[in-house]
Amino acid sequence: MSKPTRAQLTRRRFLQAAAGATAVIAADSALASRASGARQTIKVLIHDAIQSAPDFERGLHLGTVVREGALQGSGVFESAVVAAEMPFTHAGLHWRGAFAGPDASAFEVRTSADGVTWGSWRRLVIEAHPEDTPRGETFFALVAAPRHRFLQFRATLSGAQRVERVTATLLNTADGPRLQSQQSLTPVKPPVIDMSREDWGCDESRRFAGGKEIWARMYVPVKKMVVHHTASTNGADPIQDINAIYTYHAVTLGWGDIGYNGLVDVNGVRYEGRYSREFPEAGTREVFGPDVVAGHASAHNYGTCGVAAMGNFEEVPTPDDGRMVNALVSLLSFQASLREVDPNVWSDFLQSGGSWTRALGNVCGHRDCNATACPGRYLYEQLPSIRAAVAARVGFGAAPGLSGPDGGTVRRGTLSYSWTRQPGYRYSYYLEGWSKSPASEAIGYLSGYDSSRYPVWSTPSAEVSSAEYAGLADGHYTFHLKRIDLSNAVSYQANKTVLMQGGGGGGGGGRPRR
């Protein structure tokens, strides 16, 4: 027998972890797989209808004016009718300018098939702020429109606002050309995913520019799981909706991929989101794999998993049949199992920029991370029951007690952690370490990773009760510890995080003490 390759070993590790997680969170019969094979990819058509000062002049002004090349004033502006070059299934509004105060998001849209009969005005929800996108604009979530051709927007401005340009990005997810398959790797799909990217017809070419990935994949072990809603309005076909969200994130916002790790629709179908690890030597790729950094919660993406319910649950409740919430629970439970995350714990979280979010729930809502209404008041109210359901499905033993630095800045370049050994248990640990420049999405890996960016745990031991590290370079560090009993059942992880500044040099190794 030939020696297995690194790709085969890491793929096997993921499959074993997935099998273990699945045994813990056996899928509800109502969430049985609905995947029906790879869907042919349809190229999403995109048209940007740009409105600037001359176009603003043609609109209706109630207290607003066009001055110095921008829309200004205090009042309501209603645009002239925007005629699209093609029928569109989804529309996303984004604007450039300056604003202050809570009314900055007071934009609405309505759409029409013929320019005569109009749908109701729909209040828009912010998808991304200027600092979160390369284009430096405020982006709103998508609204669905069944092959409409006309659009109007309405803005309520305060005196501090200045709107220089408004763009309506119009997407057609139904009528574009059919594309040949672009994915040569076989997806390794865990049971909690009904639709891989191949199944929902993802256009993988959108991830690239000039032959290079726009958004390089980074991996930080998951410590928190963040619940979202997409804040978009749903169309008649969830597959079209997810393709619209993917295209809007990857192309219009400039991210290069969808921002969520996983998504669920109102029927309880579970979708793969952000692209994860590849194993070319084995001819496979990982689906809904752990730790890949997504783009769902500003400054909180490194070390979290973001799962989104498709829809706007600030406006309407989740469906009464419970399928959507059950699907959310299954995805959260799967990730919690892979990384032994206790859903009932709150702890301090170190943001990628070095600031702290104090007492953040291991299962939390987007609004707990950032100033946003996401995941909507109706879904947010369900978080306590969602946490309880995840805990019931995962059910690891209590985390071991752990002592050592946590929740602050360490300046001496050394770390020391200890725990009390209990008879009949072995203990395994590792020190996760990485650094990030504010000017880049990429991170440098300092400690605790193998070549495929999986955590490297120490050999379980009943004798070791502490670990010391010296000569650590500046960066983010988390010490992870779990307990294993005689039947190989593990505990929830205990972990402690610090920011190392003014430390030593080269990311030294750990030295266990007996």
Side-chain angles (χ1 to χ4, degrees):
M1 179 182 292
S2 61
K3 181 180 179 181
T5 65
R6 166 63 66 178
Q8 290 169 329
L9 288 171
T10 51
R11 175 176 176 269
R12 182 181 303 160
R13 183 182 304 165
F14 173 71
L15 287 170
Q16 290 170 342
T22 302
V24 174
I25 57 163
D28 190 291
S29 60
L31 292 174
S33 176
R34 297 168 176 84
S36 57
R39 179 185 177 104
Q40 187 171 24
T41 300
I42 299 173
K43 185 177 182 63
V44 176
L45 305 176
I46 307 174
H47 170 63
D48 283 338
I50 300 173
Q51 300 278 289
S52 58
D55 305 290
F56 299 155
E57 295 279 11
R58 298 187 293 109
L60 175 64
H61 295 266
L62 299 174
T64 58
V65 295
V66 179
R67 185 171 59 241
E68 298 174 348
L71 181 64
Q72 301 184 53
S74 295
V76 177
F77 168 75
E78 185 176 301
S79 75
V81 173
V82 177
E85 294 182 351
M86 62 181 185
F88 54 92
T89 58
H90 299 79
L93 210 68
H94 42 109
W95 65 277
R96 185 177 68 192
F99 62 87
D103 290 336
S105 61
F107 275 69
E108 302 165 278
V109 298
R110 64 177 184 174
T111 61
S112 170
D114 57 9
V116 177
T117 303
W118 290 85
S120 60
W121 286 102
R122 288 179 276 187
R123 176 74 174 259
L124 298 178
V125 179
I126 289 180
E127 174 90 359
H129 293 89
E131 62 271 20
D132 296 327
T133 66
R135 296 172 60 166
E137 297 178 272
T138 299
F139 289 80
F140 296 104
L142 293 170
V143 296
R147 286 187 171 86
H148 283 180
R149 286 185 172 271
F150 301 91
L151 176 143
Q152 276 187 293
F153 66 89
R154 189 163 67 187
T156 302
L157 276 63
S158 69
Q161 289 180 260
R162 172 187 172 90
V163 179
E164 299 166 0
R165 186 178 74 181
V166 177
T167 303
T169 294
L170 307 173
L171 306 172
N172 183 317
T173 60
D175 301 322
R178 273 52 178 171
L179 304 175
Q180 296 296 318
S181 173
Q182 305 147 324
Q183 182 58 267
S184 59
L185 301 176
T186 299
V188 179
K189 187 167 66 174
V192 295
I193 292 294
D194 300 307
M195 292 278 182
S196 68
R197 293 165 73 100
E198 290 84 355
D199 294 330
W200 54 260
C202 180
D203 181 358
E204 298 292 356
S205 69
R206 301 292 195 186
R207 292 194 294 115
F208 298 88
K212 293 182 61 177
E213 268 189 302
I214 297 167
W215 187 3
R217 283 165 281 135
M218 299 291 134
Y219 300 91
V220 174
V222 168
K223 306 166 193 66
K224 309 285 182 182
M225 292 166 291
V226 185
V227 176
H228 298 260
H229 68 167
T230 60
S232 55
T233 62
N234 293 331
D237 184 350
I239 297 292
Q240 292 186 8
D241 291 339
I242 196 170
N243 273 285
I245 294 169
Y246 166 71
T247 304
Y248 193 55
H249 285 188
V251 179
T252 307
L253 276 73
W255 291 347
D257 201 351
I258 196 166
Y260 307 112
N261 295 94
L263 302 93
V264 301
D265 69 20
V266 293
N267 300 309
V269 179
R270 302 158 295 186
Y271 301 86
E272 176 187 12
R274 175 85 163 109
Y275 198 84
S276 189
R277 294 173 182 84
E278 295 177 334
F279 305 113
E281 294 179 20
T284 61
R285 70 173 193 85
E286 197 175 67
V287 173
F288 196 49
D291 309 333
V292 61
V293 174
H296 56 93
S298 181
H300 294 77
N301 295 310
Y302 293 73
T304 63
C305 175
V307 179
M310 293 167 64
N312 187 336
F313 300 106
E314 183 70 15
E315 296 181 351
V316 298
T318 57
D320 290 337
D321 61 19
R323 287 184 295 172
M324 170 173 268
V325 171
N326 285 340
L328 277 175
V329 168
S330 69
L331 293 186
L332 297 169
S333 300
F334 179 76
Q335 290 289 336
S337 295
L338 289 177
R339 291 293 173 256
E340 299 99 13
V341 176
D342 187 342
N344 289 320
V345 165
W346 278 254
S347 63
D348 297 339
F349 181 81
L350 181 55
Q351 300 175 23
S352 56
S355 299
W356 291 88
T357 300
R358 301 298 181 182
L360 182 65
N362 284 356
V363 173
C364 61
H366 185 191
R367 68 172 64 180
D368 298 320
C369 303
N370 304 121
T372 174
C374 183
R377 63 188 179 97
Y378 291 104
L379 183 52
Y380 190 77
E381 289 170 355
Q382 295 178 272
L383 278 187
S385 61
I386 288 173
R387 287 190 193 97
V390 173
R393 292 197 185 196
V394 179
F396 290 128
L402 176 63
S403 299
D406 187 36
T409 300
V410 175
R411 301 191 184 278
R412 61 184 179 273
T414 63
L415 290 172
S416 179
Y417 293 94
S418 62
W419 54 95
T420 301
R421 299 196 306 267
Q422 293 180 304
Y425 291 97
R426 296 170 296 149
Y427 295 83
S428 183
Y429 62 89
Y430 73 98
L431 181 67
E432 163 205 334
W434 52 275
S435 62
K436 180 182 178 299
S437 164
S440 172
E441 295 293 318
I443 64 174
Y445 298 97
L446 303 176
S447 172
Y449 290 89
D450 69 10
S451 61
S452 293
R453 307 312 182 194
Y454 286 102
V456 178
W457 289 88
S458 69
T459 301
S461 171
E463 304 299 324
V464 175
S465 61
S466 64
E468 294 179 346
Y469 301 85
L472 296 173
D474 288 355
H476 295 60
Y477 290 92
T478 300
F479 185 80
H480 300 255
L481 175 72
K482 62 184 175 183
R483 182 175 52 208
I484 305 165
D485 69 14
L486 295 176
S487 67
N488 287 323
V490 302
S491 66
Y492 285 118
Q493 283 189 38
N495 57 65
K496 293 185 179 295
T497 298
V498 299
L499 178 65
M500 183 73 69
Q501 291 184 334
R511 180 168 63 87
R513 287 193 313 205
R514 296 182 184 275

